[in-house]
């Protein structure tokens, strides 16, 4: 057994997931947007130890409720206040939490954080074509990974065309930045996007342009939901199915339907006959055999 402390760096303990995004989307869609202001907090950079990784999200509502999380509970209260300010000002902002110093006045002290976390807080505009949740909604059913680019800082003439908090969904791993009038930088950004795609690791990167133009981008790799195909009908499959659904996986059960308890039909995403059913698989599918009959 290993005891994990702040001396044992923990960089990515709880991962961002499609389940969290789905929970946020469900809560957002139930709101009357005309009467309830909302903001989205997103972890865009981490140094040292952090309870959540880049891409973790939290939906904050005007009434003080929130869905999701950006930490283990030590930052959410302050982020809630910052989100309310962003809603009033109708302006995105970056908040930095640095818990690396043992300062009794610092948020996170004594909670084992010992890291630096940057969070982008953006008020959500229902009619904005770059509303992050509208873009994320189109990603949740994809069986392929998505690449998202979010503007986190901007200065100079290019600020007339894009703003902090603007999100772009990339279809082919490239982004059209002709408005920057700097082909070298555009190529560099495209290379960084390709690197994120290949390494499957999100990146926060700053770019300096002529005439004082500056741009910082959060290039995010968003993996699809894991698909678990479980073969078997014995009693031990039921807790397995419940656990997989609890963590947000898509679950298919392959078995003799007559041998299954009816509860599995309401929990699993699909139940397929072991005689005639065929599981659709891809690189994000795991096959688990829990049966004696391997045929």
């Amino acid at each position: 057994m290993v005891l994990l402390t702040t001396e044992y760096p923990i960089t990515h303990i709880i991962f961002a997931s499609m389940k969290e995004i789905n929970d946020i989307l469900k809560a957002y869609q139930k709101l009357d947007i005309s009467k309830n202001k909302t903001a989205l907090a997103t972890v865009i950079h981490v140094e040292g130890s952090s309870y959540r990784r880049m891409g973790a999200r939290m939906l904050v509502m005007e009434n003080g409720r929130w869905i999701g999380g950006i930490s283990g509970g030590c930052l959410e209260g302050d982020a809630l206040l910052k989100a309310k300010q962003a809603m009033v000002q109708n302006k995105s902002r970056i908040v930095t939490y640095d818990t690396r110093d043992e300062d009794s006045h610092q948020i996170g002290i004594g909670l084992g954080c010992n890291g630096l976390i940057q969070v982008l807080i953006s008020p959500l505009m229902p009619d904005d074509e770059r509303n992050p949740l509208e873009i994320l909604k189109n990603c949740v059913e994809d069986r392929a990974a998505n690449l998202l680019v979010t503007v986190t800082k901007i200065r100079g003439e290019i600020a007339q065309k894009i703003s902090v908090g603007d999100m772009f969904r990339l279809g082919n791993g490239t982004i059209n930045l002709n408005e920057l009038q700097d082909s070298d930088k555009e190529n560099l950004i495209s290379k960084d996007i390709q690197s994120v795609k290949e390494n499957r690791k999100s990146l926060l990167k700053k770019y300096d342009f002529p005439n004082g133009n500056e741009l910082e981008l959060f290039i995010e790799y968003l993996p699809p939901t894991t698909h678990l195909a479980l073969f078997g009908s014995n009693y031990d499959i039921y807790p397995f199915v419940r656990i997989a659904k609890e963590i947000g996986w898509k679950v298919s059960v392959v078995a003799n339907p007559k041998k299954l308890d009816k509860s599995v039909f309401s929990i699993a995403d699909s139940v397929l006959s072991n005689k005639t059913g065929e599981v659709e698989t891809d690189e994000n599918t795991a096959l688990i055999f829990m049966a004696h009959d391997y045929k």
Side-chain angles (χ1 to χ4, degrees):
M1 183 172 71
V2 177
L3 176 63
L4 301 181
T5 69
T6 54
E7 295 179 355
Y8 187 94
I10 311 169
T11 53
H12 295 155
I13 295 301
I14 294 184
F15 297 87
S17 69
M18 280 298 183
K19 181 179 187 299
E20 181 173 70
I21 293 173
N22 270 315
D23 290 343
I24 287 173
L25 287 171
K26 288 177 183 178
Y28 183 71
Q29 290 165 357
K30 289 179 180 179
L31 287 173
D32 183 348
I33 305 302
S34 63
K35 298 179 181 178
N36 297 276
K37 292 183 178 180
T38 55
L40 186 67
T42 305
V43 176
I44 60 171
H45 183 63
V46 167
E47 292 181 23
S49 172
S50 172
Y51 195 77
R52 301 300 308 272
R53 77 168 191 176
M54 296 165 68
R57 291 178 168 86
M58 179 174 77
L59 175 68
V60 178
M61 288 157 271
E62 193 175 16
N63 61 9
R65 292 183 59 243
W66 73 77
I67 304 294
I70 57 171
S71 75
C74 52
L75 304 180
E76 277 73 7
D78 185 75
L80 173 61
L81 297 176
K82 299 293 195 302
K84 286 187 174 182
Q85 294 172 4
M87 293 178 207
V88 172
Q89 298 169 357
N90 196 22
K91 185 177 181 181
S92 298
R93 61 183 299 184
I94 301 289
V95 181
T96 300
Y97 298 102
D98 191 346
T99 62
R100 294 173 296 185
D101 296 328
E102 290 297 326
D103 181 352
S104 60
H105 299 290
Q106 176 64 47
I107 295 175
I109 189 68
L111 297 179
C113 298
N114 197 29
L116 181 143
I117 304 101
Q118 285 186 303
V119 180
L120 170 66
I121 299 177
S122 299
L124 298 175
M125 303 295 139
D127 299 328
D128 185 359
E129 64 179 6
R130 291 171 182 162
N131 180 329
L133 291 189
E134 292 298 325
I135 294 175
L136 288 169
K137 183 169 66 175
N138 295 321
C139 298
V140 294
E141 296 299 330
D142 279 2
R143 292 307 305 155
N146 276 277
L147 291 174
L148 305 173
V149 174
T150 303
V151 179
T152 55
K153 290 182 183 178
I154 192 165
R155 187 173 73 175
E157 297 176 358
I158 54 175
Q160 300 175 6
K161 299 182 178 181
I162 51 179
S163 304
V164 172
D166 283 355
M167 176 185 281
F168 303 86
R169 182 188 183 194
L170 308 182
N172 56 2
T174 62
I175 184 170
N176 183 6
L177 297 174
N178 290 331
E179 63 267 28
L180 301 181
Q181 298 179 344
D182 191 317
S183 58
D184 290 338
K185 285 295 189 296
E186 184 178 347
N187 290 336
L188 180 59
I189 294 172
S190 295
K191 287 181 179 179
D192 287 336
I193 290 171
Q194 188 62 30
S195 175
V196 168
K197 181 179 181 179
E198 293 174 355
N199 297 326
R200 302 185 178 189
K201 186 176 181 180
S202 300
L203 174 71
L204 182 69
K205 191 69 177 288
K206 181 180 178 182
Y207 305 92
D208 294 315
F209 297 87
N211 303 320
N213 289 328
E214 293 182 4
L215 180 66
E216 185 181 75
L217 300 175
F218 174 47
I219 307 171
E220 181 180 6
Y221 178 85
L222 187 65
T225 301
T226 297
H227 176 205
L228 173 66
L230 194 156
F231 293 76
S233 59
N234 289 330
Y235 65 90
D236 51 356
I237 74 163
Y238 300 106
F240 206 148
V241 171
R242 291 194 296 269
I243 291 171
K245 289 302 298 179
E246 180 64 27
I247 61 178
W249 289 0
K250 177 183 177 181
V251 179
S252 298
V253 174
V254 184
N256 181 343
K258 295 180 180 179
K259 293 184 178 182
L260 291 171
D261 184 88
K262 62 180 180 181
S263 64
V264 78
F265 292 88
S266 60
I267 300 174
D269 294 276
S270 62
V271 176
L272 305 171
S273 169
N274 60 336
K275 301 296 183 182
T276 59
E278 184 174 343
V279 179
E280 294 184 5
T281 63
D282 54 33
E283 63 177 0
N284 297 292
T285 300
L287 306 179
I288 307 294
F289 293 86
M290 300 178 67
H292 295 292
D293 184 0
Y294 292 108
K295 294 181 181 180

